[in-house]
Amino acid sequence: MRTLILYGSKYGCTAKCAYLLRDKLENADVIDLSQNYPVSVSLEDYNAVLIGTPVYAGKINKAVAKFCTANLDKLKEKKIGLFVCCGLPEKAMEQLETGFPKQLVQTARVKAYFGYQYEMEQLNFFERIIMRLLGKHRNENEIRHAAIEDFARSFAQENGK
Ligand SMILES: Cc1cc2nc3c(=O)[nH]c(=O)nc-3n(C[C@H](O)[C@H](O)[C@H](O)COP(=O)(O)O)c2cc1C
């Protein structure tokens, strides 16, 4: 029984979370969709697929959205888990549910918010201005390690069913 973790990431937070999650699961492979699209992996080799994305300007990662839409029929046959990294905790689940295709959200056995991270020096000029307008001036690391652990535990239980 193998698990595939797919993610998109612009500045590395979702990537970090994907690998933290991988370390808590048995037999899991990780692929960065934002670097490897179209992905060469065969979904037939996996019975569980976990998909993670950051949110920018209210939208999920483009490569993630594209992959989910293009492979919706195959994904619906899998045990699905979805996770999101974003700076607005109160909007996290709403952004997850509106960002991923509806049918995938309905199929998902576990959905979670893993927190967020950003470093001002990594951002481009416009992104820095946006962050300043939002009152954000310093680097922040709010990755929710407990949420990643809970997700892995819940998914392992669900996956056993
Ligand atoms: C320019 C910019 C726009 C962002 N827009 C949103 C947003 O609309 N909603 C949100 O919840 N978080 C937003 N964030 C926070 C990111 O989603 C968060 O930093 C996330 O951890 C980034 O993940 P990544 O490093 O994997 O790309 C934004 C961050 C930046 C820098």
Side-chain angles (χ1 to χ4, degrees):
M1 185 184 300
R2 289 199 72 78
T3 299
L4 179 62
I5 303 172
L6 297 169
Y7 71 90
S9 183
K10 191 168 183 189
Y11 291 119
C13 174
T14 317
K16 197 187 273 186
C17 291
Y19 281 93
L20 288 168
L21 181 60
R22 193 267 319 260
D23 293 346
K24 300 196 181 306
L25 296 167
E26 284 172 20
N27 295 324
D29 298 325
V30 186
I31 293 181
D32 177 1
L33 284 175
S34 35
Q35 299 294 325
N36 301 293
Y37 197 89
V39 69
S40 54
V41 72
S42 166
L43 286 176
E44 272 74 52
D45 297 338
Y46 299 92
N47 56 353
V49 183
L50 310 179
I51 310 171
T53 181
V55 177
Y56 286 92
K59 299 230 162 65
I60 70 166
N61 178 275
K62 267 190 197 146
V64 170
K66 209 167 152 187
F67 177 86
C68 291
T69 306
N71 293 281
L72 197 53
D73 288 339
K74 280 187 201 159
L75 288 171
K76 282 192 307 191
E77 305 299 314
K78 310 285 175 191
K79 293 170 179 175
I80 296 292
L82 303 174
F83 61 91
V84 72
C85 291
C86 66
L88 303 171
E90 68 286 358
K91 286 205 166 175
M93 293 317 285
E94 182 191 327
Q95 291 180 138
L96 182 154
E97 289 180 4
T98 54
F100 282 101
K102 201 174 173 184
Q103 285 170 294
L104 206 59
V105 174
Q106 285 165 347
T107 314
R109 291 163 184 243
V110 185
K111 289 174 266 183
Y113 171 50
F114 285 176
Y116 67 95
Q117 183 178 18
Y118 56 80
E119 291 178 18
M120 293 309 255
E121 55 273 25
Q122 285 188 317
L123 306 181
N124 67 35
F125 178 72
F126 297 106
E127 291 170 338
R128 250 181 258 181
I129 290 178
I130 292 168
M131 294 307 265
R132 289 206 188 108
L133 288 173
L134 294 171
K136 306 277 190 185
H137 301 278
R138 269 175 286 155
N139 297 347
E140 289 192 33
N141 179 348
E142 297 292 337
I143 291 178
R144 297 184 172 188
H145 293 266
I148 298 174
E149 199 142 315
D150 284 351
F151 185 98
R153 203 177 308 116
S154 310
F155 197 74
Q157 278 167 9
E158 285 285 329
N159 207 6
K161 284 178 197 164

